[in-house]
Amino acid sequence: SLISEVILVQEAHLNHLDTFTFSSILPDWYCFYSNKSNGRAGTITLISPSLASTHHPTKLAISPDAAGHVLPVLLTPRDKADHSILILNLYLATGKKQAARLASQLRAAAAIPSADYNFAGGDLNFVEDAVDTTGKDAHKLPAYAKSAWESFLTHFRLSEAVQPLHTYFSISS
């Protein structure tokens, strides 16, 4: 049995009509899809039956430009005394030439109301500091994209969950 309550998948590369792939793998889980029409990118958020027993999961609407890149799922408590939880699954545009798209994706996400508790995860495709990468060409944000990132963090009251390990490694010969 799985120990996770939430699973975030990025770069699913599914057909835009595919809303069943993970349903066959995890039949009791709630599966939410955000697929692009061209079969590229794509995000999937999976909510466990255990979490769904205490919170009702709902996929929130997002700007069509952010489809396949931003997937917001709101968990509304079944017991009114509990707290709402927003899970943002992000697969942001990558590279210096894509910083405007990345900023637009962050602004689309920030248009969603925050919940009592907010969590964001996924493939951000940038680093805030060069020390956060093992690669030679760190994807640092230009000022206008950094401003969108900071607004996103402020809007959802987010802070980094510091981890000692890198999640991407580049092995050279």
Side-chain angles (χ1 to χ4, degrees), residues 34-36 61-69 108:
S34 179
N35 302 324
K36 290 191 79 152
I62 189 80
S63 163
D65 293 338
H69 296 276

Side-chain angles (χ1 to χ4, degrees), residues 38-117:
N38 61 4
R40 300 181 60 117
T43 53
I44 303 166
T45 299
L46 306 157
I47 307 296
S48 74
S50 171
L51 185 54
S53 73
T54 61
H55 289 76
H56 177 72
T58 306
K59 177 181 173 181
L60 300 180
I62 189 80
S63 163
D65 293 338
H69 296 276
V70 178
L71 176 53
V73 175
L74 180 64
L75 302 171
T76 306
R78 295 186 188 277
D79 177 350
K80 299 299 179 197
D82 207 344
H83 300 282
S84 63
I85 303 167
L86 178 63
I87 299 170
L88 294 155
N89 187 354
L90 305 172
Y91 173 53
L92 301 178
T94 186
K96 293 174 183 158
K97 295 181 180 179
Q98 300 298 322
R101 280 185 51 228
L102 182 148
S104 175
Q105 291 162 357
L106 289 170
R107 284 192 296 275
I112 298 165
S114 67
D116 296 326
Y117 293 102

